[in-house]
Amino acid sequence: MSDPARRQQPPKYGFAFLDETGTLGGARDPFFAVGLLKCSEPYKLARPMQRIRDRQHFYDEIKWNKVSEKKLPLMIDLVNVFLSSDATFSAFVADKTKHDVIGRFGGSFKAYEALARQLVRASIRRGETVYVIADEYSTPPAETFEENVRDYVNARLKRPAVAGVCRMRSSGVDLLQLIDVLLGAVVYEYKAKQGIVSLASYKPKAKLLAHVKRRSGVKTFVGGYRDERLNIAEYGS
């Protein structure tokens, strides 16, 4: 008879990096999106990104709103680190003109928390345990985002799937900044669909979006997309 201890599979651990783009309040930005990058060994992405930074002497934040013609080759190199890895990326995109997420959840922070915890829950595979590293989003004094996300996911999955949640300032975490670029590309296509921005081939952001789609084999993110690496979903659909 085999030893039960030897048959038991070791637990699967992962790191989930969580960031957001857009604003929930006001009509200036019609989209709010939350993105999550999940990997088993963060250093396999962080170290190549640091080497690119050192080679280019670039130590500014990696941000979608900083994509320019001059920085485009650098941004492509950084995005390629993710596209060449086994990390996964998922996102919720909320169209505020269609869904009153603030009204539904009772405030901007509650809406962000609700989208974040749903995204974390949907990103965890069977038997997997994750440590969540989230961007430092402004929190009311009485709120405990870290505990709320952890307890919600663990209660829904009926096991300790989230070992813990830690919020950090994204300016010091390259993988959080990488989410900003990936999420920015997805939302940019949504904005283009509504005529808010242009996908003209000469625009640096349009070029970066086209590169991400081409390397990923994606025809369009609008309407949602899912494969083994990417999972883009529209909130409310």
Side-chain angles (χ1 to χ4, degrees), residues 63-82:
K63 303 282 288 184
W64 175 257
N65 64 14
K66 294 185 178 182
V67 174
S68 64
E69 192 66 38
K70 181 179 180 180
K71 294 179 181 177
L72 183 59
L74 169 71
M75 294 294 185
I76 288 176
D77 285 346
L78 292 168
V79 167
N80 282 346
V81 172
F82 164 75

Side-chain angles (χ1 to χ4, degrees), residues 45-46 48-53 55-56 58 60-63 71-84 174-175 177-178 181-182 208 211:
L45 284 80
M49 292 178 69
Q50 185 61 50
R51 286 196 292 269
I52 292 170
R53 282 181 171 279
R55 188 167 61 244
Q56 299 291 331
F58 180 82
D60 197 0
E61 277 196 80
I62 305 163
K63 303 282 288 184
K71 294 179 181 177
L72 183 59
L74 169 71
M75 294 294 185
I76 288 176
D77 285 346
L78 292 168
V79 167
N80 282 346
V81 172
F82 164 75
L83 296 174
S84 302
D174 277 357
L175 295 189
Q177 296 174 40
L178 182 59
V181 176
L182 295 171
L208 185 53
H211 174 78

Side-chain angles (χ1 to χ4, degrees), residues 4 8 13 18 30 33 43 48 62 95 106 110 121 132 136 168 170 173 210 222 231:
Q8 186 177 6
Y13 293 102
L18 184 71
Y43 75 87
I62 305 163
D95 185 340
K110 284 295 187 182
R121 176 193 174 189
V132 178
E136 195 174 55
M168 304 183 71
S170 62
V173 184
V222 176
N231 186 3

Side-chain angles (χ1 to χ4, degrees), residues 16-19 34-36 112 116 119-120 132-135 145 176 179:
F17 294 83
L18 184 71
D19 197 8
V34 180
L36 184 145
Y112 163 65
L119 184 59
V120 172
V132 178
I133 310 298
D135 184 24
F145 173 87
L176 289 175
I179 297 173

Side-chain angles (χ1 to χ4, degrees), residues 4-233:
R6 298 183 67 179
R7 292 201 307 268
Q8 186 177 6
Q9 294 295 317
K12 302 174 184 176
Y13 293 102
F15 291 81
F17 294 83
L18 184 71
D19 197 8
E20 83 292 329
T21 189
T23 57
L24 278 167
R28 180 179 61 84
D29 191 344
F31 294 102
F32 181 81
V34 180
L36 184 145
L37 188 153
K38 187 158 66 71
C39 57
S40 58
E41 302 287 358
Y43 75 87
K44 291 184 179 180
L45 284 80
R47 288 182 182 176
M49 292 178 69
Q50 185 61 50
R51 286 196 292 269
I52 292 170
R53 282 181 171 279
D54 291 341
R55 188 167 61 244
Q56 299 291 331
H57 304 289
F58 180 82
Y59 301 107
D60 197 0
E61 277 196 80
I62 305 163
K63 303 282 288 184
W64 175 257
N65 64 14
K66 294 185 178 182
V67 174
S68 64
E69 192 66 38
K70 181 179 180 180
K71 294 179 181 177
L72 183 59
L74 169 71
M75 294 294 185
I76 288 176
D77 285 346
L78 292 168
V79 167
N80 282 346
V81 172
F82 164 75
L83 296 174
S84 302
S85 74
D86 59 0
T88 62
F89 177 72
S90 54
F92 266 142
V93 180
D95 185 340
K96 296 186 298 180
T97 64
K98 297 179 180 179
H99 303 284
D100 182 10
V101 288
I102 295 177
R104 176 175 179 180
F105 294 107
S108 296
F109 173 75
K110 284 295 187 182
Y112 163 65
E113 181 184 286
L115 294 179
R117 68 193 189 190
Q118 290 179 40
L119 184 59
V120 172
R121 176 193 174 189
S123 301
I124 298 176
R125 296 176 179 175
R126 178 177 295 181
E128 185 179 48
T129 299
V130 302
Y131 299 89
V132 178
I133 310 298
D135 184 24
E136 195 174 55
Y137 191 89
S138 180
T139 308
E143 296 292 344
T144 53
F145 173 87
E146 295 87 345
E147 294 178 6
N148 294 346
V149 171
R150 181 198 64 202
D151 294 347
Y152 171 90
V153 175
N154 291 347
R156 292 304 184 278
L157 296 181
K158 299 180 180 179
R159 63 182 182 87
V162 174
V165 179
C166 177
R167 291 193 299 163
M168 304 183 71
R169 193 168 299 170
S170 62
S171 59
V173 184
D174 277 357
L175 295 189
L176 289 175
Q177 296 174 40
L178 182 59
I179 297 173
D180 185 89
V181 176
L182 295 171
L183 202 54
V186 171
V187 173
Y188 192 82
E189 187 174 19
Y190 271 87
K191 290 180 177 180
K193 183 72 174 181
Q194 289 195 6
I196 300 171
V197 297
S198 169
L199 287 180
S201 60
Y202 68 88
K203 289 184 173 291
K205 289 182 178 178
K207 291 179 181 178
L208 185 53
L209 168 61
H211 174 78
V212 172
K213 290 164 59 179
R214 183 172 58 254
R215 278 288 307 268
S216 304
V218 178
K219 184 177 180 180
T220 180
F221 289 118
V222 176
Y225 178 84
R226 185 171 185 173
D227 61 21
E228 292 184 355
R229 165 170 296 178
L230 301 171
N231 186 3
I232 311 302

